Amino acid sequence: MLDIKITRTTTPKTKPADETKLGFGKISSDHMFLMDYSVEQGWHDPRIVPYAPFQLDPACVVFHYAQELFEGMKAYRTAEGQIQLFRPECNAQRMQDSSERLCIPTIPVEDYVQAVKALVEVDKDWVPYSYGASLYIRPFVIATDVGMGVHASHTYTFCIIAFPSGAYYAEGINPVRIYVEDEYIRAAPGLTGYTKCGGNYAASIKAGEVAAQKGFAQVLWLDGVERKYVEEVGAMNIFFKIDGKVYTAACTGTVLPGVTRRSCIELLRDWGYEVIEGKLAIADIMEASRNGKLEEVFGTGTAAVISPVKELCWKNESAFIGGGVIGPVTQKLYDVMTGIQWGKVADTKGWIVPVCEG
Ligand code: COI
């Protein structure tokens, strides 16, 4: 159990009045959580302080060798005024897995969850009121040793910041266009694809920019060895409904094990769908499209929630999905997932963790 010291701001910011114009991750809340690590003291000095810039030595390891990781979560306000989290222990566990790979000392699951809850409670007035808007929470750890040697840092800072946010994509729940990337890769066996580290995203930016110039929302990554099998999309996992069955890439080291991904798989299986986690070739997806069997494509993610895809473009050929309209399974997943998160649908799975009344 952390003994968190809380220092409240004396100059609270004005909260955004129009929740339809929040954007995503643009306006920070009033406070942030901090905790430091040293070899001698372990994780120590947990505290919530007014949100403020860091002062860091320019030679910190994180700036040069990118030893860092992050998580993404949301706090939701129900119509009854309860503020709640969705499966926070899954994010805590995933952060431990990322930490192991990046030689960053792990934070116990219960401490992580306690820290997130504490920040959300202090900043509870920042949790939006509208359905579909939430407080996006960004926990991260950075390596703070000073020096040019490439080795694991001996000191770290764990920080949690939060942003009242709306939809991740400008399209909202409207279907997006995705470009299938066949030049650059995001991950390969043995690398860090399954972790949530900034380096994965840095390596993905070039392809994302090129795709954006062509009018696509994001890229779909193929496997890094054969460039044949679908893996994930920039900020989300991806699912394909083909001839009644649902396919998604297996989490075998190169794909991020998304919390929304695993929740959707559980729901789909409960509803009687066959969900296949495995290798699915992009060529087979395009073939299914030509044969009229590619029924639905959707992405899943904390930020993206459930995001329908209306077009996949691979090697100058486009597969158009569902006539540009969200499909019934995608819609049902969206309704049930957001319903559970915002407290409109009963949480029969025990996924919701209450934080406080708001
Ligand atoms: C999330 O869905 O929370 C993410 O971290 C994706 C992100 C890169 C916006």
Side-chain angles (χ1 to χ4, degrees), residues 175-201:
V176 294
R177 302 176 67 217
I178 300 281
Y179 183 77
V180 183
E181 177 58 54
D182 61 359
E183 182 184 356
Y184 303 109
I185 59 167
R186 174 190 172 277
L191 273 169
T192 53
Y194 68 94
T195 71
K196 220 159 164 54
C197 70
N200 289 343
Y201 293 82

Side-chain angles (χ1 to χ4, degrees), residues 185-236:
I185 59 167
R186 174 190 172 277
L191 273 169
T192 53
Y194 68 94
T195 71
K196 220 159 164 54
C197 70
N200 289 343
Y201 293 82
S204 78
I205 286 174
K206 170 94 177 174
E209 291 295 300
V210 174
Q213 279 159 18
K214 295 178 185 160
F216 294 92
Q218 291 209 349
V219 302
L220 167 57
W221 297 103
L222 301 179
D223 75 278
V225 178
E226 297 181 76
R227 290 177 179 54
K228 193 171 164 189
Y229 302 105
V230 293
E231 295 215 315
E232 67 180 81
V233 173
M236 52 191 195

Side-chain angles (χ1 to χ4, degrees), residues 24 70-73 136 138 168 196 201 234-236 301-304:
F24 185 82
F70 69 97
E71 270 302 322
M73 308 167 67
Y136 184 73
R138 173 52 62 86
Y168 183 71
K196 220 159 164 54
Y201 293 82
M236 52 191 195
T302 300

Side-chain angles (χ1 to χ4, degrees), residues 230 238-242 245-247 280 285 296-297 312:
V230 293
I238 188 157
F239 289 70
F240 304 85
K241 181 161 173 278
I242 300 174
K245 295 181 186 164
V246 182
Y247 298 81
L280 178 63
I285 295 171
E296 295 185 42
V297 181
L312 286 174

Side-chain angles (χ1 to χ4, degrees), residues 101-353:
R101 178 65 180 83
L102 289 148
C103 291
I104 292 175
T106 54
I107 293 173
V109 169
E110 53 281 12
D111 290 355
Y112 173 103
V113 174
Q114 187 196 345
V116 171
K117 284 168 103 172
L119 180 68
V120 170
E121 186 157 7
V122 168
D123 274 342
K124 65 182 182 182
D125 294 345
W126 285 88
V127 182
Y129 287 78
S130 342
Y131 193 80
S134 57
L135 187 69
Y136 184 73
I137 303 163
R138 173 52 62 86
F140 62 101
V141 181
I142 54 171
T144 52
D145 266 10
V146 171
M148 293 293 107
V150 182
H151 52 70
S153 184
H154 303 94
T155 56
Y156 298 87
T157 295
F158 175 41
C159 179
I160 311 175
I161 48 181
F163 306 81
S165 293
Y168 183 71
Y169 293 111
E171 288 88 342
I173 180 68
N174 296 320
V176 294
R177 302 176 67 217
I178 300 281
Y179 183 77
V180 183
E181 177 58 54
D182 61 359
E183 182 184 356
Y184 303 109
I185 59 167
R186 174 190 172 277
L191 273 169
T192 53
Y194 68 94
T195 71
K196 220 159 164 54
C197 70
N200 289 343
Y201 293 82
S204 78
I205 286 174
K206 170 94 177 174
E209 291 295 300
V210 174
Q213 279 159 18
K214 295 178 185 160
F216 294 92
Q218 291 209 349
V219 302
L220 167 57
W221 297 103
L222 301 179
D223 75 278
V225 178
E226 297 181 76
R227 290 177 179 54
K228 193 171 164 189
Y229 302 105
V230 293
E231 295 215 315
E232 67 180 81
V233 173
M236 52 191 195
N237 296 109
I238 188 157
F239 289 70
F240 304 85
K241 181 161 173 278
I242 300 174
D243 206 15
K245 295 181 186 164
V246 182
Y247 298 81
T248 193
C251 290
T252 51
T254 53
V255 170
L256 188 82
V259 178
T260 315
R261 172 191 179 279
R262 71 189 262 189
S263 307
C264 285
I265 293 173
E266 282 185 51
L267 288 174
L268 287 165
R269 288 186 176 145
D270 285 356
W271 299 338
Y273 289 100
E274 187 178 343
V275 182
I276 299 141
E277 296 176 76
K279 287 186 169 183
L280 178 63
I282 182 67
D284 293 343
I285 295 171
M286 301 308 277
E287 181 63 13
S289 170
R290 280 181 225 113
N291 297 336
K293 293 190 169 166
L294 181 59
E295 293 154 357
E296 295 185 42
V297 181
F298 57 90
T300 63
T302 300
V305 194
I306 308 291
S307 183
V309 175
K310 67 177 175 188
E311 180 186 344
L312 286 174
C313 178
W314 181 53
K315 293 187 190 294
N316 297 323
E317 179 187 357
S318 274
F320 294 100
I321 304 125
V325 178
I326 184 168
V329 176
T330 311
Q331 182 74 59
K332 185 173 175 187
L333 275 173
Y334 179 85
D335 292 343
V336 173
M337 282 290 294
T338 58
I340 294 171
Q341 290 166 337
W342 273 271
K344 283 195 179 177
V345 170
D347 170 32
T348 55
K349 298 280 196 184
W351 285 343
I352 291 299
V353 172

